């Protein structure tokens, strides 16, 4: 018999997101589950850490389950969980996020992914789950909820059976807005949104700006296409070490130029 | 004659960092320079974006130069600069950060890098500069300041001459604490700090926690080693697309397992 797997459950939406309850339902029989989340929603915080001020940790009881609340980011959650709540977990699961986390652009700014990527720097495998829906109500629609719970569980069970894929640090799972049993491995699109800024004026007439994104045209053979056009479940493997793979020759001329000038 | 290069100068330390003035000095003759920075220091915000509240943009005049201040993160700066201040820049330079930005761990949570990586998602080449010093005073020490200014300029001039290396999205430059003309291309270490959390009590006796990092043992042949042990200038090329390169076979068994269960 093996020791119970220590699973850290987190998200970037805080304790009251229905996505958290869904993911807890999916993992509850797979091991010993610790739930540690940001106390307030922290979407789009990326891998940000709170270093300039201290964080608080509080405990909440919801549906007979203890939830630890951290006054910080999803990345803070990883370190607080490891050092204060549970010790190093065997697996981190994050989500289920309301809204997809598709494309390089979104992956690197997402708090849902931030928790998982921060964990992977610590050598802890992680899986982020996101659903391409617009509201908690859509996520909670009974048939859809059942689909997300069952599929998340199957993905994690499969992972525990086959082991984390070699050379992969984290997995990013996105569910389409429709119920399906089709699943693909997809590389991410580079961008999901074009950057837009809208100017408004406050009651004193002073300008302020909203940042928002407008979907860009979808590239074929990407995570965005798989989920939004094909209605499939997309799994994207993330390998942090590869960030810095490059053809040595491509940088050679540049390096030589610098050296000449520095020594000249 | 070519059109003046449109250069966006930013950082994660705000308008009063001496690193900003040093980098402005380094780039001022290379093109038309727009300075847009977070209005308050935003270290360790990674690629975080401000989407849940609006941002303000203010203008400040320092040493006859206009500086635009954004009430947000370094990533917000990129979008505000593009949409409100200058249009799409040709090049983004970020820094000079006080403190190194070495290792995958630090690169992905750094605000200095956050600006540059966010720009690279928009197809804008960027270079982040960081100096391995502990204080503004060290950065401003006249000989050291001259070293940083001259070398940053040489690196950028070389880049403009040879073009951005193929397949590379951004460059991460770290200066050692000592003056040198030795420069190497280095892959990043995975981690720079072990995670630590220290518990304190407030005057009411309630606990709070500080997150901080303690340097881990330095891997050879990494950016950390090059800068801190060898005292060399390290340049690390970053390729975002490679984050998602993986051997297809490694994920195959896992995918088959999921498919069997989903359809079973």
């Amino acid at each position: 018999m093996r020791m119970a797997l220590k699973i850290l459950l987190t998200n970037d939406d805080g304790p009251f997101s229905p996505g958290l309850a869904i993911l807890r339902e999916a993992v509850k029989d797979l091991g010993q589950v610790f739930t540690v989340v940001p106390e307030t929603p922290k979407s789009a915080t990326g891998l940000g850490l709170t270093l300039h001020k201290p964080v608080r940790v509080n405990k909440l009881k919801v549906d007979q389950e203890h939830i630890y609340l951290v006054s910080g980011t999803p990345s803070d959650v990883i370190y607080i969980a490891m050092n204060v709540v549970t010790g190093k977990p065997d697996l981190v699961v994050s989500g289920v996020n309301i809204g997809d986390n598709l494309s390089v652009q979104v992956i690197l700014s997402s708090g849902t992914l931030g928790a998982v990527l921060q964990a992977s720097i610590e050598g802890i495998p992680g899986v982020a789950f996101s659903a391409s829906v617009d509201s908690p109500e859509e996520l909670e629609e009974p048939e859809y909820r059942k689909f997300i719970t069952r599929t998340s569980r199957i993905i994690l069970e499969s992972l525990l059976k086959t082991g984390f894929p070699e050379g992969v640090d984290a997995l990013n799972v996105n569910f389409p807005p429709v119920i399906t049993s089709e699943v693909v491995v997809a590389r991410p699109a580079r961008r999901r949104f074009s950057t837009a800024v809208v100017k408004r004026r406050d009651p004193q007439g002073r300008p302020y700006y909203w940042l928002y994104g407008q979907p860009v045209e979808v590239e074929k053979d990407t995570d965005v296409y798989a989920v939004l056009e094909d209605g499939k479940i997309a799994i994207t493997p993330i390998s942090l070490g590869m960030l810095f793979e490059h053809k040595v020759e491509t940088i050679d001329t540049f390096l030589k130029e610098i050296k000449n000038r520095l020594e000249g």
Side-chain angles (χ1 to χ4, degrees), chain A:
Chain A
M1 232 185 84
R2 66 174 178 203
M3 295 280 290
L5 204 70
K6 208 185 275 184
I7 301 172
L8 172 62
L9 167 64
T10 190
N11 72 4
D12 71 346
D13 287 327
F16 305 115
S17 167
L20 187 69
I22 289 176
L23 199 49
R24 190 191 302 113
E25 175 71 22
V27 297
K28 70 177 188 328
D29 300 325
L30 302 181
Q32 196 183 0
V33 180
F34 297 86
T35 307
V36 189
V37 297
E39 69 184 3
T40 55
K42 294 284 173 188
S43 295
T45 50
L47 279 81
L49 284 166
T50 307
L51 300 176
H52 59 295
K53 59 182 182 185
V55 300
R56 297 278 189 173
V57 181
N58 289 298
K59 213 163 143 182
L60 188 75
K61 204 165 182 178
V62 179
D63 302 335
Q64 308 303 313
E65 303 280 348
H66 289 293
I67 297 185
Y68 292 85
L69 306 179
V70 177
S71 65
T73 66
S75 283
D76 296 340
V77 159
I78 299 302
Y79 296 126
I80 291 293
M82 286 175 67
N83 288 281
V84 180
V85 179
T86 163
K88 193 168 174 174
D90 301 304
L91 177 69
V92 172
V93 294
S94 180
V96 177
N97 194 62
I98 295 170
D100 68 66
N101 277 307
L102 296 163
S103 82
V104 178
Q105 180 183 41
V106 174
I107 287 171
L108 290 180
S109 346
S110 156
T112 309
L113 270 294
V116 160
L117 294 177
Q118 198 67 250
S120 83
I121 286 165
E122 297 299 317
I124 307 163
V127 188
F129 294 94
S130 310
S132 185
V133 293
D134 293 323
S135 67
E137 292 70 29
E138 284 178 68
L139 189 64
E140 297 236 79
E141 189 278 312
E143 284 305 307
Y144 191 76
R145 183 187 170 121
K146 204 185 290 173
F147 155 62
I148 300 289
T149 312
R150 174 174 178 264
T151 315
S152 302
R153 192 191 167 96
I154 284 177
I155 289 171
L156 291 169
E157 279 174 347
S158 301
L159 203 56
L160 296 178
K161 189 174 166 194
T162 65
F164 224 74
E166 199 194 316
V168 170
D169 291 311
L171 294 170
N172 186 29
V173 177
N174 281 277
F175 297 106
V178 292
I179 294 171
T180 180
S181 64
E182 283 199 87
V183 54
V184 292
V185 171
R187 74 172 177 92
R190 192 168 183 91
R191 285 167 88 211
R192 166 105 170 74
F193 298 107
S194 72
T195 61
V197 172
V198 64
K199 183 178 183 172
R200 299 269 167 84
R201 288 194 180 270
D202 68 19
Q204 278 91 41
R206 287 182 300 227
Y208 62 90
Y209 300 87
W210 282 103
L211 271 71
Y212 70 105
Q214 286 180 306
V216 294
E217 209 188 319
V218 181
E219 271 174 85
K220 283 228 173 186
D221 297 322
T222 63
D223 59 349
V224 183
Y225 198 90
V227 172
L228 302 183
E229 300 288 323
D230 278 348
K232 293 179 180 169
I233 303 157
I235 302 183
T236 299
I238 303 178
S239 304
L240 288 181
M242 300 298 287
L243 251 182
F244 310 94
E245 287 298 319
H246 58 277
K247 295 207 191 76
V248 177
E249 316 87 72
T250 66
I251 199 114
D252 238 29
T253 335
F254 168 53
L255 188 63
K256 270 185 201 139
E257 181 69 26
I258 299 174
K259 285 187 171 170
N260 284 341
R261 289 181 187 230
L262 275 176
E263 286 151 17

